[in-house]
Amino acid sequence: MDAAGETPVGALPGEGNPEMDLSHRFSKTELTLLYEEVLYTIRHRLGKPEHHHVVDSQELYAYVQKAFGMDEEEHNVIMQQVKELESPIFCLKATVKEAKGILGKDVSGFSDPYCLLGIKTKSQELANLDHKKRMKAVVKDLIPEDQIHRTQVISQTLSPVWDETFILEFEDAETASFHLDMWDSDVVESVRHKLGELTDLHGLKRIFKDARKDKGQDDFLGNVVLHLKDLHCWNDQWYQLEPRTETYPNRGQCHLQFLLTHKKRATTSSRTQPSYIVHRHLLQQLVSYEILQHQAGSIAWDGELSRHASTVLYLHATQKDLSDFHQVIVRWLAYSKLYQSLEFNSNCLLHQITSIEYQWVQERLRPEQKAEVAESFQSLLTYGVSLIRRYRIIFPLSVPRSTERLQSLLRVLVQMCKTKAFHELCTPSPNLPYVVSAALKSGTTEWFHMKKQHLKPMVKSMEENGKALSRLLLEVLGDLQQCQKIWNRFFISTLKLNLFSIAYLELERLVAEHVQEQLRGVNSSMSKHTAESLFQLYMNLQELYRMKDFLPKRDGPLALNNFHQWFKEGVPQWLQKAYTIALERAQRAVQMDQLTPFGEHNKHSTSTVDLSTCYAQIVKTWQQLNWPDPEEAFMIMVKLVEDMCRIALMYCRLIKGRAEALSLHKQNEGEEANRLCIVVNNIKQLRLLILKLPSQLDWVQLEQRMGAVIDRQQIQHTLHNQLDSTISCLDHEIQEVVQALATKLEKGIARHIQELSSSNDTREPEDSIVPLMKFLESELQYLNEHLVQENFKSLLTLLWHHTLAVLSAAMGQQIPSAQCYMKLRCALKSLELCFHAEGCGLPLQMLHTAVFQSLETRLDLCSATSRKLIQKYFSNRIQQQLDASSEKYGAVTIKALYCPSEQKLHVEVLNAVNLIPLDSNGSSDPFVQLTLEPRHEFPEVVARATQCKRNELHPLFDEAFDFLIPAEKCRQEGACLLLTVFDYDMLGANDLEGEAFFPLCHLPGLNTDEDPSDAARVPQTRLPLTHPKPTDEVLQLLESRKGDKEAQAFVKLRKQRAKQSKETE
C-alpha cells in the first residue's frame, strides 16, 4: 500500500516477482553491512536455544541468505569477512533480585544477608574434586578477588530484596560457570547487646555458637552454582540455595535474572550506529521478507514471525542488550513504516501500540529517538487517514476480510492517538474524529466525481442522460446501503463518527446539483423512451431521499426537497404507459383464454391471473410515484382509478364475447354451462380485485393528506362513486350470467315438480321425489364444482325462490288428496335439506322465507290424516279460547283434577255466569254437556250433562262427574274436556249458549304418581264461552275428503253445532 498511489486489491507489492528482490528497501552497501551484522550475530550466538527457536545455525544462515536476497557467492564473501572479525567480549548480565526463606543466623532470628558472585573459568586445583566437595567451595576460594562482585547487606530480614545488576565477562560458555554465595554479615557486638536481642532458646544457642567463632566471621547461608552452557540467552528464575553441610538442607531460594550479551562487537554497523537503529533495520528486513513470503502463497500475514526470524531477532536483541522498552519502540518504528508499503494485518500495530503504552517512559528516549517516534506517529496517521479517505477502493467488500482490515486500521489510529506517547510527542495533538470526518467527506466527493465521469454517456441526448443518471444513482444507493449496513457500525464504535450521515449529506447534495443541471431541458414533448428513463431516475431519487430516515439528525432542508417537481412533465406519459400496458395485456389474456380452470383447486381461467397482474402493476406504479403534493396526487389517483375501472368494464365485455365465440364452435350444452360458470367466476374475481383497490391504493392515507386541500365529500364523490358505479356494473353482469344459468335449471325443476304433482301412483312420497332429487343433485354438484362459492349461493337463491313458486303453483292446481299433498310436503322438506346442504349451501334464515313458511304450514295441514286434522281443530279451538279477551257469551267455572291411582278424571261444574238470554222471556234454561274430545281418542267415554236450571242466566250447578281414562290419552294433541252450555228447548233443538275447552294436558295430578292430597285446594278454572267460526280451514279440508267417513261425520257434527248458535261471530 502506498499513500500516494494505493495499488488496487489483487496487485500487491512483490507479486509477479518470484525472486522477491528486497534491494529497494536499503542500498546495496547498507544491505551488505546489515547482512554482516546478522551473520556475526549467528556465528557468536550464546546460550541454550529456546524450545521454539532454531537450534541449527546452518538453518539460520540459509534463512537470512534468502531474506537478504544474497546469492551464494555474496554470502561466502561476507561470511569470510565475518570469520576474520574479532570475536566480541561475552558477558553475563546477572541481576540479583531477591531471596526468600533464608536461614536466620543472628540471635534475633533474622540475618543480614549479602551475596558474592562471579564467573569461574577453568580451575585446575578443584577440577578433580567430586560434586559434594565442590559444593562446599566458596566464591572467594574459586574466583580471583578482582572478579568477585558483592551486593549490599540487607539488615535483619529473611526475605531480602536487592535488585542489583552486574556485568560478568567470560571467554568460553562451555567451561564457565556462575557462582553465587549468600552470607550473613557479622559485626562485633557485646554480650550485653546480644542478650538484649535474645527472644528464645534458639537465640541462646546462637550466642554460644558465636562465642566459638572468630570475631567478625560471616555465616554461610547458601549458594547457587550454574553452568553457563545450561543458560538460555534470557533467564528469570528462582533457584534453590544449596548448603555446604547437611545440617540445614532447606536454606531458601534466590531470584536471579540472566542475560547473555556481547561487548565490543567488531561489525561496522555495531561500531557506527546505535544498537536500536541496527536492530530496527534488521527487523524491517526480516519482516519484509516474511510478509512477501505469505503474499507469494496468497496468505495474508498475521504478524506472527517464523521460528527462524524470531530466533535471529531474539539473538540480536539479547546480544546488543536492548531493553524491552527499546525493542518495543524498534518494532513500532519498523512495523509502522512497513505498513505503509506492504500489505499486512494492522492488528500487529495494535499490539505494538499497547506495548508502548504499557512501558512508556519518555525520559528513557533520547531527543532523536523521540523525534523519530513522533514522526512515525504523524506518518502513520497521515497514511491511515488517506486510506480511510479512499476506503471504497482500498477495502472493497468484494475482497474477503476487507471489513476486518478497515476496522483494525481504525482501532490502530484511535489507540495510537489515545496513548501517552502520542500526546507527549505530538503537540498539539490532532482531533482524530475531525480529521477522519474531513477525509471521509473529501473522499466521498472524489468518489462521486470519479463515478460520474466513468458513467458519462457517449451520446449526449436526454434519453441517454437519463439512463446515465439512473446508473449513477444506483452506484450512490449501493454505496450508501453499504455505509449504513456495514461500514457505519465500525466508525461509530471506534470514533463515534456516523459515516452514513457524512456520506449521505455529501452525496445527496452532489446528486441534487448534478440531476437538476441535467434535467433543465426536459419538457412535455419528451419521447416515450426519455419518459421511461426519467421514471427509473425518479424512483432511484425517491429511494435516495427515503434514506434520510436513517440520519440521526439534520439541520435545515435537504437539497432533494421537492425533487418531484423536476419530473412533473413526465407524469402524464408515465400514467398513460401504465394504462396502455395493462389494457393490452388484458386484451391478450382474453384472446388466449380457453375458459377452463387453470388449476386443480381454482375455478377461474387464466385471464384473471393476467388481470390481477395488470392491476398489481398499476398499484405498484402509484406506490412508486408516491407523489408528495396532495392535490396533484389526488388527480393522479383519479386517473388511475378511472383507468382500472375502464379496464374492468372492457374485460367483462370481452370475456362474455369470448364465451359466445367458443360456444359457436363447440355446440355442447354441458361445456356451454361450464364456460358460463367460468365467466361468472372471472367477473366475481374481478369484483374482488376492484374492492381491494381502496386498501391497496391506501385511500385513507390519501384522504388524510388532502384534508386541508380537498373537501372530503369531493373525494367521496369522485373516487368512491366511481368505484361503486363499476361494482354495480359488475354485479349486474354477474347477475345476468347467474340468471342465465338458473334459467337452464328452472325448466328442469318445474318439469319434475309437475310430474310429481300430477302422478297418481301409490308409491311412498320418499320414492316419488327421487327423480327430482337426482336431477338437482347432479346439476347442483356440477355447478358447485365450477362456480366460486359466492356465485353458487347466488344461483341457489334464485333457484330456491323459483322452486317455492313452482311448488305453490302445483299446490293450487291439485285435486284435494292427502297423498298428493304428502308428496309435495316431502318434496319441500327434501328440497330444504338439499339447498341447505348441512350448512354448505344457503343458510336456514335465507331458506325460511315468508313464502316457505306459508307453504310449509299449508302442506302440513293438507298432508295430515283426518284424525290429525281433528286434533288440530281442537288445538286451534283451545288456542282460540286462550286468545279470547272478553266473555261475550259468558263463562263457565269448573274444578278438574286427575287421580293417577284410579286413572280417573274428576270434574266439578260449579256455575255459569253472564249467559246470553235465548228465550223469549229474556232468560234461558241452561245446562252443561261434558264430552271428552276428540272422540277417536275417547270412544268409550259417554257424554255427561248437568241438571237444567230454569230461567237462570247465572246458574249454580255444583255437580261432580268422574271419567275413567288413561293418563297417556290426556297428553295427546288436542285432548280436551268440551263443556257445551245449551239452552233447553222443549219443542225443538236446544240452542247453543257457548263452548268451553279445557286442555287435559294441564290437569292437576296428571304428571305425578300420587293423587292430590287435598282435592278442595284444586283451583277453580273460569273458561270463557266461545262459538264456532262460520268458516274454518281445518273443517274445509276435512269436508273436502269425501271418501273419509270419519272426516265427514266430524264435519257434520261441527256444522250442526254451528247451526245451534244463534249468534254470528
Side-chain angles (χ1 to χ4, degrees):
M1 295 182 293
D2 186 358
E6 175 67 26
T7 49
V9 175
L12 302 174
E15 195 171 72
N17 186 357
E19 297 182 0
M20 292 184 293
D21 181 19
L22 304 177
S23 59
H24 65 284
R25 308 292 178 206
F26 300 103
S27 66
K28 188 63 177 178
T29 302
E30 291 173 333
L31 202 62
T32 302
L33 293 178
L34 191 59
Y35 193 62
E36 176 192 64
E37 176 75 15
V38 70
L39 292 180
Y40 189 86
T41 299
I42 299 172
R43 178 174 174 76
H44 298 289
R45 72 184 294 180
L46 291 172
K48 181 180 177 181
E50 300 286 347
H51 71 278
H52 58 281
H53 284 172
V54 177
V55 178
D56 187 1
S57 297
Q58 292 304 317
E59 281 190 44
L60 296 180
Y61 287 137
Y63 170 76
V64 296
Q65 183 180 348
K66 293 179 182 177
F68 279 77
M70 296 291 178
D71 58 29
E72 194 63 31
E73 183 180 353
E74 289 175 320
H75 170 74
N76 291 335
V77 171
I78 300 174
M79 187 66 190
Q80 186 59 39
Q81 294 173 1
V82 169
K83 290 179 180 179
E84 294 172 0
L85 291 176
E86 183 179 352
S87 298
I89 298 174
F90 300 142
C91 300
L92 177 66
K93 186 175 182 180
T95 300
V96 183
K97 300 293 289 184
E98 57 184 318
K100 61 183 179 180
I102 65 175
L103 298 177
K105 291 290 188 178
D106 293 342
V107 176
S108 61
F110 294 100
S111 294
D112 303 316
Y114 69 94
C115 297
L116 296 178
L117 61 154
I119 291 181
K120 179 183 78 66
T121 57
K122 293 180 181 180
S123 176
Q124 296 81 13
E125 68 277 10
L126 297 177
N128 298 322
L129 294 179
D130 59 18
H131 175 73
K132 185 173 182 181
K133 292 183 177 180
R134 286 202 305 272
M135 288 297 98
K136 295 181 179 180
V138 295
V139 169
K140 59 186 178 180
D141 296 334
L142 297 174
I143 303 172
E145 187 176 351
D146 61 337
Q147 297 179 20
I148 297 175
H149 300 268
R150 175 180 175 135
T151 66
Q152 294 180 350
V153 177
I154 308 298
S155 301
Q156 295 297 293
T157 181
L158 297 180
S159 302
V161 178
W162 291 285
D163 201 13
E164 296 183 41
T165 302
F166 304 92
I167 306 296
L168 312 176
E169 297 180 0
F170 62 93
E171 294 180 358
D172 186 5
E174 290 297 320
T175 59
S177 59
F178 169 80
H179 288 253
L180 178 143
D181 292 345
M182 189 178 295
W183 298 85
D184 170 39
S185 178
D186 195 11
V187 296
V188 179
E189 294 179 338
S190 65
V191 175
R192 182 187 299 275
H193 184 270
K194 290 180 179 180
L195 289 172
E197 296 179 350
L198 185 63
T199 58
D200 55 15
L201 184 59
H202 291 288
L204 185 60
K205 290 180 180 179
R206 293 190 191 100
I207 292 176
F208 293 145
K209 186 176 180 180
D210 288 344
R212 294 196 299 270
K213 288 195 317 181
D214 295 334
K215 300 296 184 180
Q217 182 179 353
D218 294 342
D219 292 320
F220 180 77
L221 296 177
N223 70 349
V224 176
V225 178
L226 302 170
H227 294 288
L228 297 192
K229 66 179 180 179
D230 296 330
L231 293 178
H232 296 288
C233 288
W234 164 255
N235 293 265
D236 186 344
Q237 189 174 335
W238 285 87
Y239 295 93
Q240 196 71 31
L241 290 171
E242 300 295 338
R244 284 193 299 176
T245 66
E246 301 299 329
T247 309
Y248 296 104
N250 187 7
R251 291 175 172 265
Q253 293 176 303
C254 184
H255 184 194
L256 301 176
Q257 288 179 351
F258 298 109
L259 180 67
L260 295 171
T261 66
H262 289 176
K263 282 172 54 175
K264 296 184 179 180
R265 290 166 65 92
T267 61
T268 302
S269 296
S270 294
R271 289 185 285 103
T272 59
Q273 292 181 309
S275 296
Y276 84 95
I277 291 180
V278 178
H279 189 71
R280 188 185 79 194
H281 289 169
L282 176 59
L283 175 64
Q284 187 173 324
Q285 183 66 21
L286 295 184
V287 170
S288 299
Y289 174 73
E290 293 280 318
I291 295 172
L292 294 177
Q293 280 286 93
H294 280 79
Q295 289 178 356
S298 300
I299 302 173
W301 186 60
D302 59 0
E304 191 72 29
L305 291 170
S306 66
R307 292 172 61 243
H308 299 80
S310 298
T311 304
V312 171
L313 292 170
Y314 177 77
L315 292 175
H316 190 261
T318 55
Q319 291 174 13
K320 301 286 281 185
D321 193 15
L322 280 176
S323 67
D324 291 343
F325 177 68
H326 281 87
Q327 288 185 56
V328 168
I329 295 296
V330 165
R331 283 196 292 272
W332 166 256
L333 293 174
Y335 281 42
S336 63
K337 185 174 182 180
L338 285 172
Y339 182 74
Q340 299 175 47
S341 58
L342 293 174
E343 175 78 16
F344 65 88
N345 194 332
S346 55
N347 280 331
C348 305
L349 297 176
L350 194 61
H351 177 69
Q352 308 309 325
I353 290 171
T354 305
S355 300
I356 290 175
E357 180 70 4
Y358 182 71
Q359 301 185 35
W360 177 252
V361 180
Q362 188 179 172
E363 289 73 18
R364 290 169 65 181
L365 294 178
R366 294 192 294 274
E368 63 271 18
Q369 293 174 327
K370 294 179 183 178
E372 202 170 7
V373 173
E375 193 278 331
S376 72
F377 284 153
Q378 292 289 359
S379 176
L380 182 64
L381 178 61
T382 302
Y383 177 72
V385 169
S386 73
L387 296 184
I388 294 171
R389 178 170 57 86
R390 293 176 295 126
Y391 76 91
R392 297 172 175 87
I393 302 171
I394 306 300
F395 306 102
L397 290 175
S398 57
V399 176
R401 302 175 63 87
S402 290
T403 56
E404 297 176 22
R405 290 167 50 224
L406 177 59
Q407 188 179 18
S408 176
L409 174 61
L410 291 172
R411 288 176 178 171
V412 167
L413 296 180
V414 169
Q415 292 303 318
M416 182 183 75
C417 293
K418 284 182 178 180
T419 59
K420 292 178 287 186
F422 185 86
H423 285 284
E424 291 176 7
L425 299 180
C426 301
T427 53
S429 299
N431 184 334
L432 182 61
Y434 176 81
V435 171
V436 172
S437 177
L440 290 171
K441 188 174 181 180
S442 63
T444 299
T445 303
E446 292 173 9
W447 176 84
F448 177 80
H449 288 300
M450 179 191 72
K451 289 293 181 182
K452 183 176 72 172
Q453 187 65 28
H454 177 69
L455 297 172
K456 189 175 181 180
M458 300 295 292
V459 180
K460 292 187 177 180
S461 67
M462 184 54 65
E463 180 183 347
E464 292 300 321
N465 277 347
K467 293 179 179 178
L469 289 172
S470 294
R471 291 193 292 270
L472 179 60
L473 260 293
L474 289 176
E475 293 283 350
V476 169
L477 290 170
D479 180 73
L480 289 174
Q481 287 170 357
Q482 290 182 0
C483 289
Q484 194 263 329
K485 294 178 180 178
I486 300 172
W487 299 117
N488 203 38
R489 62 176 181 269
F490 301 134
F491 284 88
I492 289 177
S493 62
T494 53
L495 290 163
K496 301 295 185 291
L497 204 62
N498 194 309
L499 168 64
F500 173 78
S501 181
I502 296 170
Y504 181 83
L505 293 174
E506 188 65 16
L507 288 173
E508 184 264 350
R509 179 185 61 81
L510 293 169
V511 165
E513 293 174 357
H514 183 53
V515 172
Q516 203 166 6
E517 179 183 355
Q518 295 296 316
L519 296 184
R520 283 176 182 167
V522 173
N523 53 51
S524 58
S525 62
M526 71 182 80
S527 67
K528 292 182 178 179
H529 297 297
T530 300
E532 291 176 11
S533 65
L534 291 184
F535 183 70
Q536 185 61 47
L537 176 61
Y538 173 81
M539 287 194 297
N540 292 340
L541 280 173
Q542 204 172 46
E543 186 175 354
L544 176 61
Y545 187 67
R546 280 197 298 267
M547 293 184 81
K548 72 182 184 300
D549 298 335
F550 296 113
L551 293 175
K553 60 179 180 179
R554 63 181 186 274
D555 299 324
L558 294 173
L560 283 176
N561 274 1
N562 298 320
F563 75 90
H564 65 283
Q565 297 293 343
W566 310 339
F567 298 89
K568 284 181 65 174
E569 301 294 339
V571 173
Q573 291 204 38
W574 298 346
L575 300 181
Q576 184 59 35
K577 181 185 177 183
Y579 170 70
T580 303
I581 291 175
L583 182 65
E584 292 175 353
R585 181 166 184 173
Q587 289 172 339
R588 287 196 304 271
V590 173
Q591 291 170 3
M592 300 298 292
D593 200 340
Q594 295 301 313
L595 293 180
T596 56
F598 70 89
E600 181 180 353
H601 302 291
N602 291 297
K603 299 181 180 180
H604 325 292
S605 60
T606 54
S607 60
T608 57
V609 180
D610 291 280
L611 192 63
S612 176
T613 305
C614 295
Y615 276 23
Q617 191 58 47
I618 295 177
V619 171
K620 185 179 179 182
T621 300
W622 164 257
Q623 294 169 345
Q624 289 172 333
L625 281 174
N626 193 23
W627 202 257
D629 184 271
E631 192 169 358
E632 294 171 358
F634 176 69
M635 300 308 298
I636 292 172
M637 177 64 76
V638 170
K639 177 68 170 64
L640 291 176
V641 173
E642 179 183 346
D643 289 345
M644 286 189 279
C645 290
R646 286 164 59 191
I647 291 173
L649 298 178
M650 179 276 301
Y651 175 82
C652 286
R653 186 179 71 255
L654 292 180
I655 200 69
K656 289 170 66 178
R658 178 65 176 166
E660 292 174 3
L662 290 174
S663 297
L664 291 176
H665 297 291
K666 301 176 182 179
Q667 297 292 338
N668 184 295
E669 186 176 347
E671 291 184 2
E672 182 181 355
N674 187 22
R675 283 191 287 273
L676 286 178
C677 291
I678 296 295
V679 168
V680 73
N681 290 341
N682 287 359
I683 299 175
K684 191 69 175 183
Q685 184 67 14
L686 173 59
R687 185 181 188 277
L688 294 177
L689 292 176
I690 295 291
L691 289 175
K692 291 179 181 178
L693 289 180
S695 61
Q696 290 178 339
L697 297 171
D698 202 356
W699 284 7
V700 173
Q701 192 263 350
L702 180 64
E703 290 178 7
Q704 292 173 350
R705 286 175 55 198
M706 295 187 302
V709 181
I710 301 176
D711 184 62
R712 186 180 183 88
Q713 290 184 349
Q714 183 180 352
I715 299 172
Q716 185 77 21
H717 177 76
T718 307
L719 291 179
H720 291 275
N721 289 358
Q722 187 175 25
L723 209 62
D724 293 343
S725 175
T726 303
I727 292 296
S728 297
C729 291
L730 295 180
D731 288 340
H732 178 71
E733 297 287 350
I734 291 171
Q735 196 64 28
E736 278 190 354
V737 180
V738 171
Q739 185 62 59
L741 285 169
T743 302
K744 292 179 178 296
L745 288 180
E746 286 172 357
K747 295 178 181 178
I749 294 173
R751 184 179 71 252
H752 281 86
I753 292 177
Q754 183 65 32
E755 292 174 356
L756 176 70
S757 62
S758 60
S759 66
N760 295 319
D761 56 28
T762 58
R763 290 182 298 171
E764 292 294 324
E766 289 79 5
D767 298 329
S768 300
I769 64 170
V770 168
L772 170 63
M773 300 314 298
K774 282 187 176 181
F775 169 77
L776 276 178
E777 181 181 358
S778 172
E779 296 296 330
L780 293 181
Q781 181 178 357
Y782 174 83
L783 292 172
N784 187 34
E785 291 174 356
H786 291 79
L787 285 174
V788 295
Q789 195 63 22
E790 289 188 29
N791 292 336
F792 180 65
K793 288 188 176 180
S794 298
L795 176 65
L796 287 181
T797 303
L798 291 174
L799 291 177
W800 179 246
H801 292 309
H802 171 74
T803 302
L804 292 179
V806 172
L807 283 172
S808 298
M811 186 176 174
Q813 297 171 2
Q814 291 304 311
I815 299 172
S817 166
Q819 183 68 17
C820 183
Y821 286 129
M822 288 175 68
K823 291 179 183 179
L824 293 178
R825 179 178 178 278
C826 184
L828 179 64
K829 291 297 182 182
S830 298
L831 289 170
E832 179 189 8
L833 294 175
C834 176
F835 278 78
H836 182 56
E838 297 180 347
C840 298
L842 294 178
L844 291 176
Q845 57 266 31
M846 290 185 66
L847 293 172
H848 294 171
T849 62
V851 174
F852 170 82
Q853 291 175 354
S854 173
L855 184 60
E856 181 183 39
T857 302
R858 179 69 177 164
L859 284 174
D860 284 345
L861 282 176
C862 293
S863 60
T865 64
S866 296
R867 290 190 172 185
K868 283 289 184 184
L869 287 177
I870 293 170
Q871 289 177 318
K872 181 66 176 175
Y873 173 83
F874 285 110
S875 294
N876 291 345
R877 293 301 304 272
I878 292 171
Q879 188 61 44
Q880 176 189 348
Q881 180 174 278
L882 292 174
D883 295 338
S885 58
S886 65
E887 296 180 353
K888 178 180 179 182
Y889 305 106
V892 61
T893 304
I894 66 171
K895 288 172 68 175
L897 62 90
Y898 187 79
C899 301
S901 61
E902 301 177 20
Q903 292 193 338
K904 181 179 66 177
L905 168 63
H906 179 74
V907 181
E908 294 181 15
V909 181
L910 302 179
N911 58 50
V913 294
N914 301 325
L915 298 178
I916 297 174
L918 297 179
D919 292 342
S920 57
N921 60 3
S923 183
S924 290
D925 304 321
F927 69 96
V928 180
Q929 184 185 68
L930 290 81
T931 58
L932 292 180
E933 300 289 348
R935 293 290 176 86
H936 63 264
E937 293 291 346
F938 307 98
E940 297 178 357
V941 179
V942 180
R944 310 286 291 278
T946 66
Q947 293 181 359
C948 179
K949 302 294 181 180
R950 297 289 181 176
N951 299 320
E952 188 66 60
L953 295 179
H954 303 281
L956 179 62
F957 299 107
D958 200 13
E959 295 182 43
F961 305 91
D962 290 327
F963 301 90
L964 295 177
I965 54 174
E968 59 271 14
K969 291 290 187 179
C970 298
R971 299 189 181 96
Q972 296 294 326
E973 180 187 3
C976 62
L977 172 65
L978 173 58
L979 298 110
T980 309
V981 181
F982 287 107
D983 173 39
Y984 177 76
D985 195 340
M986 293 180 64
L987 299 178
N990 297 326
D991 297 325
L992 178 67
E993 287 280 355
E995 296 175 320
F997 299 85
F998 180 80
L1000 297 183
C1001 60
H1002 295 162
L1003 278 173
L1006 179 64
N1007 296 318
T1008 61
D1009 295 332
E1010 298 180 359
D1011 296 341
S1013 58
D1014 188 358
R1017 293 189 178 182
V1018 175
Q1020 296 180 2
T1021 302
R1022 181 163 171 152
L1023 301 172
L1025 295 176
T1026 61
H1027 280 211
K1029 293 181 179 180
T1031 58
D1032 186 281
E1033 183 181 17
V1034 175
L1035 290 178
Q1036 290 176 352
L1037 282 173
L1038 288 170
E1039 187 177 9
S1040 67
R1041 299 180 180 182
K1042 301 299 184 180
D1044 190 334
K1045 295 180 179 181
E1046 186 175 11
Q1048 295 303 317
F1050 180 78
V1051 171
K1052 181 178 180 181
L1053 178 64
R1054 298 315 301 174
K1055 282 187 173 182
Q1056 289 176 352
R1057 185 61 53 86
K1059 289 179 180 179
Q1060 290 175 321
S1061 173
K1062 294 187 178 181
E1063 287 287 329
T1064 302
E1065 295 189 58

